[in-house]
Amino acid sequence: MLSSPLRRATVLCHRPAPTLAVVAALVLGLFLSGSLPAHAQEAAYALTSAESAQKLSTQALVCLRRGEDAITKESRLAAYREGLDLAERALAADDLNADAHFAVFANRGRILLLEGATVNPFNLLSANRELERTLELNPNHSDALAAKGGLYRQLPLLLGGSLSKAEQCLVRAIEIDPNAVGARIELAQTYRDMGEPERGIPLLHKAAEVAERVGKYRQLGEARVLLQEFEPSR
C-alpha cells in the first residue's frame, strides 16, 4: 500500500507535465515526510539546491546589469557587491551552476576595476579560473565567451593576450546570442586593433540598433562614440 505522499506523486503522472518548481516542491515534501529512501533524499536535496542556486545566480546577474547602468560610482559598487554576494551564495548551493561562476567573475571584476585594483597575475588567475569553470560547465555561455574574448583583446601578449583568440571567442558569442551587444562592440575594437577598422563598422551599427531596442543605453553610447572614431567623415 502506497503512503499518502507517494499516491499523490503517482496521480501526477496522469496530469500535464509539472513545472520544475512544482516538482521540487513535491520532492521536498516527500523528503521532509521521510517517505523517500536515502539515495532519493540525496537527489531531492540536489534538486532543491540546484533550483535555489539558479534563482540566486539570476538575481546576481540582474545586479550586474543594474551596476552597468548605474550613474554614480557608489551605486555601481553597491550593485556589484550585492551581485557578488548572491553569486557566492549560489555557488555554495550548487558549484555546478555556470551562471553563478560567471556572476562571481563579472561582479568581482567590476568591483576591482572601480576600486582601482591593478592588473596582476593573481587577480588575473582568479578571474580566468571562474571564466574557465563557466565554459567548462557550459561551453555555449555567450556572456562568458564575450568576456573571454575581451580578456584576450585587452591583455598584453606577455599575460596571454591574443587578437586572433579574441576574434574566435567573440564571433562564437555572437553566433550563440544574436542580440549580443557587448560582444559586437568588443569584436569591432578587436578588428580596429588588427588594423581593419572597416570590419567593425557594421558590428557597431548592429550593436547600437540592438542596444537602443533593449534599453542598454550605456552600451548604446559606447557604440556611437566608436562609430564616430571609425567613421570620422560621416
Side-chain angles (χ1 to χ4, degrees), residues 69-85:
D69 292 333
I71 297 174
T72 67
K73 177 180 177 180
E74 291 73 19
S75 57
R76 296 178 73 186
L77 275 172
Y80 295 144
R81 285 169 178 157
E82 181 183 354
L84 179 58
D85 176 67

Side-chain angles (χ1 to χ4, degrees), residues 19-232:
T19 64
L20 177 60
V22 172
V23 173
L26 173 63
V27 174
L28 181 59
L30 293 172
F31 171 70
L32 293 175
S33 70
S35 300
L36 290 175
H39 70 277
Q41 290 184 27
E42 292 176 3
Y45 179 79
L47 176 62
T48 55
S49 294
E51 186 181 48
S52 174
Q54 190 56 52
K55 288 180 179 178
L56 288 167
S57 60
T58 298
Q59 293 169 4
L61 293 173
V62 169
C63 289
L64 173 67
R65 294 183 176 101
R66 189 173 76 239
E68 290 175 341
D69 292 333
I71 297 174
T72 67
K73 177 180 177 180
E74 291 73 19
S75 57
R76 296 178 73 186
L77 275 172
Y80 295 144
R81 285 169 178 157
E82 181 183 354
L84 179 58
D85 176 67
L86 289 165
E88 289 175 338
R89 287 166 54 193
L91 286 184
D94 180 13
D95 187 61
L96 299 180
N97 189 291
D99 285 341
H101 281 282
F102 178 75
V104 167
F105 156 78
N107 281 293
R108 180 182 291 157
R110 283 158 176 76
I111 291 170
L112 289 172
L113 288 173
L114 283 173
E115 291 181 339
T118 58
V119 176
N120 63 65
F122 296 104
N123 55 39
L124 280 178
L125 180 63
S126 175
N128 193 58
R129 184 165 54 242
E130 292 296 344
L131 267 186
E132 291 298 336
R133 184 60 173 152
T134 303
L135 291 169
E136 177 185 333
L137 293 167
N138 180 7
N140 292 322
H141 197 291
S142 60
D143 287 338
L145 284 166
K148 188 74 172 175
L151 282 177
Y152 276 131
R153 182 186 77 82
Q154 296 175 52
L155 289 176
L157 287 174
L158 290 176
L159 292 177
S162 168
L163 293 178
S164 61
K165 289 181 179 179
E167 180 185 18
Q168 292 171 14
C169 290
L170 294 164
V171 167
R172 181 60 182 148
I174 295 167
E175 289 174 349
I176 295 168
D177 180 10
N179 288 327
V181 176
R184 281 187 168 84
I185 293 174
E186 197 70 46
L187 184 55
Q189 292 173 300
T190 300
Y191 289 141
R192 177 199 60 193
D193 295 348
M194 288 178 169
E196 303 174 87
E198 66 281 357
R199 297 178 66 188
I201 293 173
L203 289 164
L204 292 172
H205 280 294
K206 184 63 177 180
E209 174 194 323
V210 175
E212 187 168 23
R213 172 159 46 86
V214 300
K216 293 185 175 181
Y217 299 113
R218 182 187 62 81
Q219 290 176 318
L220 173 61
E222 187 177 354
R224 286 175 172 170
V225 167
L226 285 170
L227 276 171
Q228 291 177 354
E229 174 190 336
F230 284 36
E231 301 178 307

